[in-house]
Amino acid sequence: MKKFRKVLDGLSSSSPGGVASPSCGSAAGTPTAHAPTPQDIHVQETLVSENFQICKTVRHGFPYQPTCLAFDPVQKILAIGSRTGGIRILGRPGVDCYSQHESGAAVLQLQFLINEGALVTACADDTLHLWNLRQRRPAILHSLKFNRERITFCHLPFQSKWLYVGTERGNTHIVNIESFVLSGYVIMWNKAIELATKAHPGPVVHLSDSPKDEGKLLIGFESGTVVQWDLRAKKVDFRIYYDEAIHSVSWHHEGKQFMCSHSDGSLTMWNLRNTARPIQITYPHGKILKDGRKESCKPILKVEYKTSRNSSEPYVIFSGGLSYDKSGGRRPTLTIMHGKAVTVLEMDHPIVEFLVLCDTPYSNEIQDPYAVVVLLEKDFIVVDLTQSNFPIFENPYPMDIHESPVTCTAYFAECPPDIIPILYSIGAKQKKTGYSHKEWPVSGGTWTLGSQTYPEIIVTGHADGTVKFWDASAITLQMLYKLKTSKVFEKPKAGEGRAGELVEEDPYAVQMVSWCPHSRLFCVVGISAHVILYRFSKHDANTQIMSLEVRLQFDSEDVISPSEAENNPCFSDPSSHSPQPPGSPGSGTQDSLPCLKVKNRPVRMPPGYQAELVVQLQWVDGEPPQQITSLDINSAYGLLAFGNCNGLTVVDFLQKTILMCMGTLDLYGAADPYQRLTRSPRKNRQSTSGLTELSDNQVSMDMERSKSPTSDHVNGHCTSPTSQPCSVGKPRITGVPEGPRLTRRGPGRPPFRKAQSAACMEISLPVSSHTEESRENSFSRSRSSSVSSIDRDTKESVTTLQFGESYGRKGDALPTACLWVGTSLGVVLLLPISIPTEEEERMEEPITMGPSGTVLMLKGSVLRFAFLDCGGALIQSPYEVWRDPNGPEDPDRPRRRKLVNFSPSSSQEACSDGHLAVVCSEKQAKVILMPTQAVLFTHNITESSFLLRADVVSVCNSVCLACFCANGHIMTLSLPSLRPLMDINYLPLTDLRIARTFVFTNGGQALYLSSPTEIQRLTYSQEMTDNLQDMLGELFTPIETPEAQNKGFLKGFFGGNAQTFDREELFGEAAAGKASRSLAQHIPGPMGLENMKAAAGGVVGDLARARIALDQRGERLGELEERTALMMNSAETFSTHAHQVMLKQKDKKWYQL
């Protein structure tokens, strides 16, 4: 056991520290010189740096900016490539793997080595990569970099080790997959076309071997030329010329004819017997006009020509081809032609690529298609071809995270075990119907539930006001429940009230959420400065939603004196829905309106989360309310608190009253640590060009010491939270009419601000005319260059709030309910609360609370509060046990509130010295002893940057402080000594989307939005990193390759291959020689094969692979033994028949034969 007084001598020397960081400004665990160290408090710290390791676990969601698609018909796994160099490999639910090319080059094409557990990728930097999929985390075995030619198309025949590579120059090269070395065999473009042809045929856009003869290679050039090359004879069999450019080619399985799609929306059918002209030209969506001309159509980008056993009519499936006249108002289409039936499927997004799934991997057999995989720009669907109405399959992957842009995230580990089943049962009623009844066709790989699993839930808030609950247990993600917050409000109409200015925006966008899994209370903060409180019920209800309106708009010239604040504690009558707190400006009838109108009639609410209370901030003086920057809710106290850059509001949601509504300056009382000056009158304010301008402000030296440096920039934007305090809308100019004053803001758009852990970080909401990428990066500052540093001092934001049992004043002997308040100037305030203990009194008697003065100050805005007991254990906030508000009541047993209280005095025996409070700002962390308010430890986390997120989390049966810094570092600090345990430069912060969605949780896990459509989960726990291999799914499973169908004697004799085709004999070094070294460069994988296999799965993985290899060898030996026995039996039978013939004929004369 180590005592606090021994920290310097013991902890700092005996426990190994974390990785050193240039951002760490002071030594760990430096006690404040004057701080007392109570001798009866004992803390034993167990965490060391070896407990921490950063590792990405899994990525969920739709692959951002997809480019290509591939499918292994034997293994039944699917791969998707992206523009950023990522690869997603999907199988059965739970089998979901993400890999990334280090170069970041776009993936142009994917080719599976069918049933071999390998994948070839062709990237935009003209590099081929071979990926090993026989391990849980795929890795590159070989790479081949083309130096002089650009790769345009690749083709790998089934069961071949030679890859055909077409280039932009029109040449075709051949690569050995095993060694990843170029063959000397090259098909030059000038040999493929006629000598008389002067024009270059263009890049190679198609390569395929003939289903009839593997020795014939069909080469399609962009200009419309198609050549069949005889690989053995090294000459051209035939050439086809067509006037329109070719986009794709598809063979009939018999190899006698093929189909091409062209840039004019036509499909041409060619027969090998007569290649002079096509046997058929069709314009599926083009009509012949009255003057005889054909309707101009869009290109058909891809066509698939597949035969079926159940029908004599083939399937012709293609994308595009609509006429230009019709396509203007129509969405992208996929057309399925089967005989005379033509079905056009309209898609919500442009089609990137599609694949037809068939039962057989052999191209010379009847294909029998059963599904079509369609990859869209923002969606992924699979169409069932076996049913006449072509329904789609229900997607088991969470591909709809981005259905509406994600605006905030929350992550809850170690949830109550009953919460996931009940959310799933409620959410199951929300699912759509009409899906195909067949099983999901992408069913490859294996995945088992790991042993170290616990309930985890991810909550995402979206721009359209929806909130989604996801089951994130065992590194999977599955939708549980969807909540639409917009149903609380009336639909805004254009030009009607304040909401009319926001019609074209996202007025319901979710800004932050607060959820108590134990009491099942859920609170949502919206962009329109509203807070919605939800209770969970298993029963439907028909009730009216209660609404409260608050004027939280304070100016320095209107600030009340401390004596007035004490004499007027800001209580309001329970029946008052629009309180007028002392010190607020006089209300105007045209201004006292919220942004949205709550439904004022009884609303039917289905089972699930049901709205109980809506609190809205009002417009004041023609200015919209400032966005809410902090939120906390406590079910045991029955209180809800939220704040912004104007002040703090506390709501009693049991009595439905406003308990407190005060400006930030009023919270200090007489203990204001800053010497603030009265702000200049409004007439001296100057106008500015808009909220989105970025300008440098003159900042006083006093403020410079207490805020983040304005030189911290990300992508050219100032992102330091405290360097951009919130404003009261636009400054008002005397004499300017109302209309122009409202339009200076831009198109009626209030700045979107997320402040879960960073003060006043602002982004602009998406506008319909903007692209999604510009939406995600459109952060803006809402302060103008004319606002002085005095005004900056006045606008102090409430950045974080925390209810809990603590000591409101230094002299308190027992803990009481308190509200901890942190501001953007680094000030921590404590507000004690007096709550009636009896339930009857609680519903009738008023609650009293008021400021008790400043507790301490930190550098930078305050991000997080947490409380530890005297033994260093985390103290949870008290909560009310959930009870169904709409459940049937028992008259014999009246329903009473059941509270669970974690009091500091009761958390440890024989300890009456209070508790420890952990306070973290964007610059430093402090641990203070309550109630003496003595600072025990201080640690300057960073000097050159600032924190974006900080959470106190439990890891390895202990607690630590986890921090994410704006420079991309992830750090952990021990508690309470604040020793650095880990400091890793995880990622450069290139996208502010990460800043507003990064969140830590218990168990050593974290997540962030890595792209507008994907959630990246990671772990910072060494224990979870070690067990990660067992939690991931296996991509490859040993499956016997299906045998080719027996064609029969006559069909094989007349239509089969004339001779066997040995590619090794043609393409090997002995016959073709070596390729030019300057043409391509071979690059071995980042790790040796043996090391990579060892790292893939450890001893368990090696044993499993060895067992599989032995099984495969045993199967092959068994097959060989059976074949040997069959051959012996055949030989014996032949010998017997021969002997009988000999005996029969031996005595005959020659003329009798």
Side-chain angles (χ1 to χ4, degrees):
M1 304 289 285
K2 299 182 179 68
K3 296 185 178 181
F4 275 133
R5 68 171 183 269
K6 297 180 180 179
V7 167
L8 275 178
D9 302 327
L11 287 177
S12 59
S13 60
S14 63
S15 300
V19 180
S21 167
S23 64
C24 293
S26 67
T30 305
T32 307
H34 60 277
T37 55
Q39 300 184 8
D40 55 345
I41 299 178
H42 298 79
V43 176
Q44 182 176 9
E45 295 186 0
T46 58
L47 290 178
V48 293
S49 58
E50 286 75 15
N51 294 125
F52 297 92
Q53 176 63 47
I54 292 288
C55 179
K56 292 181 179 180
T57 54
V58 68
R59 182 171 292 205
H60 303 297
F62 179 77
Y64 184 54
Q65 295 180 330
T67 54
C68 54
L69 191 63
F71 182 71
D72 187 327
V74 179
Q75 287 288 321
K76 294 191 181 301
I77 57 175
L78 183 136
I80 301 173
S82 73
R83 196 178 302 172
T84 55
I87 307 171
R88 281 285 290 280
I89 303 175
L90 303 170
R92 67 176 67 249
V95 179
D96 187 341
C97 177
Y98 174 80
S99 297
Q100 175 71 38
H101 291 91
E102 289 186 3
S103 65
V107 182
L108 300 180
Q109 197 174 352
L110 299 165
Q111 286 277 322
F112 274 106
L113 276 66
I114 296 176
N115 204 28
E116 295 291 336
L119 176 70
V120 175
T121 58
C123 295
D125 60 352
D126 306 308
T127 306
L128 297 173
H129 303 277
L130 178 64
W131 292 80
N132 178 20
L133 306 185
R134 296 195 179 210
Q135 55 191 55
R136 294 177 189 260
R137 284 190 177 272
I140 294 177
L141 296 175
H142 301 282
S143 298
L144 188 66
K145 169 73 173 175
F146 280 74
N147 297 322
R148 295 185 299 187
E149 298 195 51
R150 306 295 309 270
I151 299 172
T152 56
F153 196 86
C154 298
H155 170 62
L156 181 65
F158 178 46
Q159 294 182 325
S160 169
K161 67 175 184 179
W162 297 94
L163 174 73
Y164 302 113
V165 181
T167 67
E168 194 175 39
R169 293 186 181 180
N171 302 325
T172 302
H173 300 275
I174 301 170
V175 179
N176 187 310
I177 291 298
E178 293 179 350
S179 61
F180 239 56
V181 174
L182 268 181
S183 167
Y185 193 114
V186 184
I187 305 173
M188 304 299 290
W189 69 271
N190 54 358
K191 298 289 181 66
I193 65 172
E194 290 182 331
L195 295 177
T197 306
K198 297 181 180 180
H200 191 279
V204 175
V205 296
H206 177 80
L207 292 168
S208 63
D209 49 342
S210 169
K212 188 177 180 181
D213 186 354
E214 294 178 345
K216 311 285 187 179
L217 182 67
L218 197 70
I219 307 173
F221 298 94
E222 188 180 58
S223 63
T225 302
V226 179
V227 172
Q228 181 167 290
W229 180 267
D230 189 331
L231 294 167
R232 302 183 193 88
K234 299 182 180 180
K235 66 176 184 178
V236 174
D237 284 344
F238 62 82
R239 298 180 179 91
I240 288 174
Y241 298 98
Y242 195 70
D243 295 336
E244 296 294 335
I246 289 178
H247 286 282
S248 69
V249 181
S250 183
W251 280 98
H252 187 279
H253 80 275
E254 292 179 349
K256 297 177 181 179
Q257 56 189 22
F258 59 86
M259 182 178 288
C260 302
S261 68
H262 300 277
S263 58
D264 63 343
S266 65
L267 296 173
T268 57
M269 181 79 76
W270 301 83
N271 195 302
L272 299 191
R273 292 182 180 180
N274 181 13
T275 57
R277 62 180 60 86
I279 60 173
Q280 186 181 16
I281 303 176
T282 57
Y283 290 82
H285 296 300
K287 297 179 180 179
I288 299 178
L289 303 176
K290 293 180 180 180
D291 56 2
R293 293 184 299 106
K294 288 187 175 62
E295 209 173 11
S296 59
C297 297
K298 287 189 173 183
I300 295 179
L301 300 179
K302 184 174 182 179
V303 65
E304 291 272 15
Y305 184 30
K306 302 295 182 183
T307 52
S308 173
R309 299 180 191 277
N310 301 327
S311 174
S312 59
E313 298 289 346
Y315 283 91
V316 178
I317 305 171
F318 61 89
S319 60
L322 286 179
S323 65
Y324 280 101
D325 296 337
K326 295 179 181 177
S327 61
R330 296 185 67 173
R331 294 181 289 182
T333 59
L334 181 78
T335 304
I336 302 173
M337 299 172 61
H338 188 214
K340 294 182 179 181
V342 179
T343 304
V344 179
L345 304 178
E346 290 190 343
M347 304 295 169
D348 293 331
H349 309 284
I351 297 174
V352 175
E353 190 177 353
F354 72 90
L355 284 177
V356 179
L357 308 187
C358 304
D359 282 326
T360 176
Y362 297 94
S363 61
N364 58 354
E365 295 180 356
I366 296 176
Q367 298 299 286
D368 228 7
Y370 60 89
V372 183
V373 178
V374 188
L375 179 63
L376 308 176
E377 278 189 1
K378 296 181 181 180
D379 204 356
F380 172 76
I381 64 173
V382 181
V383 181
D384 186 356
L385 288 180
T386 61
Q387 300 182 42
S388 58
N389 59 339
F390 301 128
I392 64 171
F393 290 88
E394 185 176 5
N395 197 328
Y397 317 123
M399 292 289 188
D400 57 347
I401 292 175
H402 65 290
E403 186 177 16
S404 175
V406 178
T407 53
C408 72
T409 58
Y411 195 2
F412 302 89
E414 301 172 357
C415 300
D418 60 335
I419 192 70
I420 289 181
I422 195 168
L423 283 175
Y424 182 81
S425 62
I426 299 294
K429 302 173 184 177
Q430 301 175 334
K431 289 190 175 182
K432 299 177 182 178
T433 57
Y435 293 110
S436 172
H437 299 295
K438 294 198 172 184
E439 291 185 2
W440 179 252
V442 186
S443 57
T446 56
W447 179 76
T448 55
L449 194 64
S451 58
Q452 297 183 349
T453 59
Y454 44 83
E456 298 175 68
I457 289 180
I458 294 173
V459 181
T460 56
H462 300 264
D464 64 352
T466 59
V467 177
K468 295 180 180 179
F469 292 77
W470 306 84
D471 178 7
S473 308
I475 69 168
T476 61
L477 196 69
Q478 185 179 8
M479 168 76 85
L480 287 175
Y481 175 72
K482 183 176 180 180
L483 175 66
K484 294 182 179 180
T485 62
S486 60
K487 290 188 174 181
V488 173
F489 304 100
E490 301 282 2
K491 291 184 179 180
K493 298 179 181 179
E496 180 179 326
R498 299 297 183 190
E501 301 176 20
L502 305 173
V503 170
E504 296 181 359
E505 307 297 331
D506 293 306
Y508 311 112
V510 178
Q511 195 172 342
M512 67 181 76
V513 297
S514 179
W515 185 45
C516 176
H518 299 282
S519 64
R520 301 182 188 175
L521 273 183
F522 187 62
C523 203
V524 177
V525 171
I527 187 66
S528 298
H530 61 265
V531 182
I532 311 175
L533 175 66
Y534 290 89
R535 286 188 185 271
F536 187 84
S537 175
K538 296 180 181 179
H539 307 277
D540 57 0
N542 194 5
T543 57
Q544 185 163 343
I545 303 169
M546 199 72 173
S547 175
L548 296 175
E549 295 178 3
V550 182
R551 290 175 59 88
L552 189 57
Q553 198 90 347
F554 293 88
D555 289 335
S556 60
E557 57 262 36
D558 302 317
V559 170
I560 58 176
S561 64
S563 59
E564 289 177 327
E566 293 173 1
N567 296 332
N568 299 278
C570 303
F571 302 132
S572 64
D573 189 271
S575 62
S576 174
H577 291 178
S578 188
Q580 300 294 328
S584 65
S587 61
T589 56
Q590 70 275 18
D591 287 321
S592 300
L593 293 172
C595 295
L596 299 171
K597 183 179 180 182
V598 180
K599 292 180 179 178
N600 57 3
R601 62 184 184 278
V603 179
R604 184 193 172 278
M605 302 179 187
Y609 274 103
Q610 300 169 351
E612 178 180 288
L613 177 67
V614 179
V615 184
Q616 294 177 283
L617 298 184
Q618 297 175 339
W619 285 61
V620 177
D621 294 337
E623 300 293 343
Q626 288 300 300
Q627 305 308 309
I628 295 168
T629 58
S630 54
L631 170 73
D632 194 34
I633 186 170
N634 190 279
S635 57
Y637 302 160
L639 298 180
L640 164 69
F642 63 89
N644 64 5
C645 55
N646 288 324
L648 171 69
T649 299
V650 181
V651 178
D652 182 346
F653 61 79
L654 295 180
Q655 297 186 21
K656 307 295 188 298
T657 59
I658 306 296
L659 181 61
M660 170 183 281
C661 181
M662 298 181 71
T664 314
L665 301 186
D666 303 334
L667 297 175
Y668 289 102
D672 190 351
Y674 291 102
Q675 297 298 320
R676 303 174 196 260
L677 302 177
T678 303
R679 190 174 55 191
S680 303
R682 286 176 181 260
K683 64 181 180 180
N684 292 335
R685 299 189 195 176
Q686 301 176 10
S687 64
T688 56
S689 58
L691 288 174
T692 58
E693 70 172 351
L694 295 173
S695 56
D696 295 327
N697 299 60
Q698 294 181 351
V699 185
S700 66
M701 294 303 293
D702 292 337
M703 274 297 295
E704 197 69 51
R705 286 193 293 268
S706 65
K707 72 176 189 63
S708 300
T710 56
S711 59
D712 293 328
H713 287 72
V714 180
N715 281 352
H717 297 277
C718 180
T719 59
S720 172
T722 54
S723 67
Q724 44 178 341
C726 312
S727 69
V728 193
K730 288 298 297 175
R732 187 170 113 189
I733 309 173
T734 305
V736 177
E738 181 79 4
R741 175 151 47 92
L742 291 177
T743 58
R744 286 199 305 273
R745 180 171 290 98
R749 177 170 67 251
F752 182 114
R753 184 176 308 110
K754 177 181 184 300
Q756 278 182 290
S757 59
C760 305
M761 181 166 292
E762 301 168 8
I763 65 169
S764 297
L765 267 178
V767 187
S768 58
S769 60
H770 292 176
T771 63
E772 185 163 285
E773 191 146 1
S774 66
R775 292 178 175 186
E776 294 296 332
N777 294 320
S778 56
F779 284 69
S780 63
R781 294 174 62 184
S782 67
R783 297 299 282 165
S784 66
S785 58
S786 64
V787 182
S788 67
S789 61
I790 300 175
D791 192 27
R792 281 174 170 268
D793 283 0
T794 308
K795 292 304 163 187
E796 181 178 6
S797 305
V798 177
T799 57
T800 186
L801 297 165
Q802 180 70 53
F803 286 106
E805 295 286 307
S806 187
Y807 300 85
R809 295 173 179 83
K810 289 186 178 181
D812 289 353
L814 296 175
T816 59
C818 292
L819 175 62
W820 287 67
V821 181
T823 74
S824 58
L825 296 185
V827 180
V828 177
L829 304 168
L830 196 54
L831 279 67
I833 310 170
S834 176
I835 303 176
T837 55
E838 296 296 329
E839 184 168 353
E840 292 77 9
E841 295 179 359
R842 174 65 186 85
M843 300 305 295
E844 297 174 1
E845 297 294 327
I847 293 177
T848 58
M849 64 182 299
S852 64
T854 305
V855 175
L856 78 158
M857 293 181 59
L858 295 87
K859 298 178 183 178
S861 64
V862 182
L863 301 182
R864 184 68 61 219
F865 294 122
F867 309 119
L868 308 178
D869 63 18
C870 299
L874 188 65
I875 301 175
Q876 302 291 339
S877 296
Y879 64 87
E880 176 189 0
V881 177
W882 175 78
R883 55 176 182 171
D884 197 327
N886 300 324
E889 293 192 19
D890 188 354
D892 299 331
R893 299 180 60 185
R895 299 169 61 186
R896 300 183 63 86
R897 300 176 69 214
K898 182 180 179 182
L899 307 182
V900 177
N901 192 2
F902 300 94
S903 175
S905 60
S906 61
S907 60
Q908 187 181 18
E909 295 181 4
C911 177
S912 58
D913 291 314
H915 68 92
L916 305 177
V918 181
V919 186
C920 184
S921 74
E922 60 182 13
K923 289 288 188 180
Q924 65 179 183
K926 290 186 178 182
V927 176
I928 63 175
L929 178 64
M930 299 297 292
T932 62
Q933 300 182 7
V935 179
L936 299 180
F937 296 97
T938 300
H939 179 64
N940 293 330
I941 299 173
T942 176
E943 294 290 347
S944 60
S945 186
F946 58 94
L947 296 186
L948 295 168
R949 181 79 188 193
D951 290 293
V952 175
V953 293
S954 61
V955 181
C956 301
N957 299 319
S958 187
V959 291
C960 69
L961 175 63
C963 307
F964 177 58
C965 195
N967 59 14
H969 284 246
I970 293 179
M971 296 166 277
T972 57
L973 304 173
S974 68
L975 290 176
S977 66
L978 298 177
R979 284 180 301 112
L981 297 173
M982 179 187 71
D983 186 349
I984 294 179
N985 188 4
Y986 174 66
L987 60 97
L989 185 60
T990 56
D991 197 333
L992 295 182
R993 179 191 314 106
I994 300 172
R996 74 167 189 265
T997 57
F998 199 103
V999 58
F1000 295 97
T1001 191
N1002 296 329
Q1005 295 197 74
L1007 67 81
Y1008 60 92
L1009 209 66
S1010 58
S1011 74
T1013 63
E1014 296 169 289
I1015 290 176
Q1016 177 68 58
R1017 292 168 67 181
L1018 63 136
T1019 179
Y1020 49 94
S1021 163
Q1022 182 67 57
E1023 181 182 6
M1024 187 170 182
T1025 302
D1026 295 337
N1027 296 324
L1028 184 59
Q1029 292 294 334
D1030 298 331
M1031 301 169 69
L1032 297 173
E1034 288 275 5
L1035 297 174
F1036 178 80
T1037 52
I1039 300 174
E1040 187 175 350
T1041 303
E1043 294 185 2
Q1045 294 177 0
N1046 189 0
K1047 294 184 178 181
F1049 174 76
L1050 292 175
K1051 196 167 185 179
F1053 183 79
F1054 291 106
N1057 295 341
Q1059 61 189 55
T1060 57
F1061 178 56
D1062 187 358
R1063 293 185 177 89
E1064 183 68 33
E1065 185 179 332
L1066 282 175
F1067 307 145
E1069 186 177 329
K1074 291 184 178 180
S1076 172
R1077 290 186 177 181
S1078 62
L1079 183 61
Q1081 175 188 359
H1082 175 260
I1083 305 170
M1087 300 171 63
L1089 181 57
E1090 296 303 322
N1091 293 337
M1092 188 160 44
K1093 286 183 177 179
V1099 177
V1100 177
D1102 289 338
L1103 289 174
R1105 278 188 287 274
R1107 188 187 71 249
I1108 292 170
L1110 285 173
D1111 292 343
Q1112 291 177 336
R1113 187 169 180 269
E1115 291 174 1
R1116 290 170 183 167
L1117 288 174
E1119 292 175 2
L1120 181 62
E1121 186 177 355
E1122 291 175 1
R1123 291 178 183 175
T1124 304
L1126 289 173
M1127 290 177 65
M1128 290 179 64
N1129 291 335
S1130 178
E1132 289 177 2
T1133 304
F1134 178 77
S1135 175
T1136 303
H1137 287 307
H1139 185 68
Q1140 291 174 353
V1141 171
M1142 183 269 293
L1143 292 176
K1144 184 178 180 181
Q1145 303 293 338
K1146 71 174 183 176
D1147 295 330
K1148 291 186 178 181
K1149 304 296 182 182
W1150 64 270
Y1151 51 81
Q1152 293 176 322
L1153 297 174

